[in-house]
Amino acid sequence: QALLQIASLRRDARQMTEEKLSNAHQTSTLVDAAIQKLDADLEKFEALLKTTGQYETVVATGGAQPNDLAAIQVTLNSPDWILAKVISHDVRTGMYNLSDEDIESKKTFTLPEAQVVILGGVDRLSRGDIIYAVYPDTTSFYQATVVQGPKKVPGKADQDPYVLVHFKDDGDENGITHDKAVL
């Protein structure tokens, strides 16, 4: 009787061990997938920064300055990025304090460098480049293709240049995609 009980307990223990190993494997697979997605997102934004010359600037200065504009990923691994303004950056910890640029929002965020991309440098973009840009009258980023390289506003030499883009999936009711200017 005692041997049967020990055998039963051993079987139960083995089954629980196998279940725990299975759960650990599933968790590891999910974590690996999340890390791969984050790495892919980082590669995209690093490439974007390199094409605009901002990657070298950020690396050289150690981060952004207050009032610099940034694209931020509020939720890790989300495909959504919004426009924010840098309040402060702690080079030691790599953490940013930022405020949402949406006029109706009073939200502030504390995010790691991996979820913050400092903006600027449209002067290095050229026709055909695929970029993420703020859609007019919003604070959200969408994929776009540069259709006209950087131009300055006539008579405003001190103003930043702009580019004309076509936003992905932005056709009107006739399927025509109109040029939109972005800074």
Side-chain angles (χ1 to χ4, degrees):
Q1 181 73 358
L3 288 176
L4 289 175
Q5 186 177 10
I6 292 172
S8 174
L9 290 172
R10 186 176 180 166
R11 233 184 352 266
D12 291 348
R14 182 173 285 141
Q15 182 179 353
M16 283 188 228
T17 301
E18 288 174 7
E19 288 174 6
K20 288 182 186 260
L21 286 172
S22 176
N23 287 343
H25 179 69
Q26 289 174 355
T27 302
S28 175
T29 301
L30 288 171
V31 168
D32 285 345
I35 289 171
Q36 289 174 0
K37 171 83 169 93
L38 179 58
D39 285 344
D41 286 346
L42 288 174
E43 284 179 24
K44 279 193 266 184
F45 282 103
E46 184 175 312
L48 175 65
L49 285 175
K50 284 181 178 177
T51 63
T52 63
Q54 292 302 301
Y55 182 78
E56 293 81 9
T57 303
V58 170
V59 169
T61 61
Q65 302 301 314
N67 295 319
D68 282 352
L69 292 177
I72 64 170
Q73 186 182 42
V74 176
T75 305
L76 186 62
N77 295 325
S78 168
D80 300 325
W81 292 74
I82 64 169
L83 184 63
K85 187 178 283 186
V86 174
I87 298 169
S88 65
H89 175 239
D90 185 335
V91 179
R92 186 180 48 79
T93 63
M95 296 298 287
Y96 280 92
N97 288 318
L98 307 112
S99 62
D100 189 342
E101 275 294 278
D102 186 337
I103 337 177
E104 297 175 5
S105 174
K106 301 269 190 251
K107 292 181 183 175
T108 59
F109 306 95
T110 300
L111 297 171
E113 290 172 337
Q115 291 172 247
V116 178
V117 177
I118 306 305
L119 302 179
V122 298
D123 53 328
R124 294 191 184 183
L125 295 175
S126 57
R127 182 181 176 94
D129 287 347
I130 305 294
I131 64 170
Y132 284 84
V134 176
Y135 192 85
D137 300 322
T138 74
T139 58
S140 297
F141 286 82
Y142 296 93
Q143 186 175 337
T145 303
V146 176
V147 294
Q148 182 178 328
K151 289 192 164 240
K152 290 227 178 224
V153 177
K156 304 221 176 179
D158 62 330
Q159 197 169 19
D160 289 333
Y162 67 93
V163 293
L164 293 179
V165 301
H166 283 173
F167 283 95
K168 183 177 180 181
D169 301 326
D170 189 37
D172 64 14
E173 65 276 356
N174 298 315
I176 298 169
T177 302
H178 299 282
D179 297 348
K180 302 228 177 5
V182 295
L183 300 175

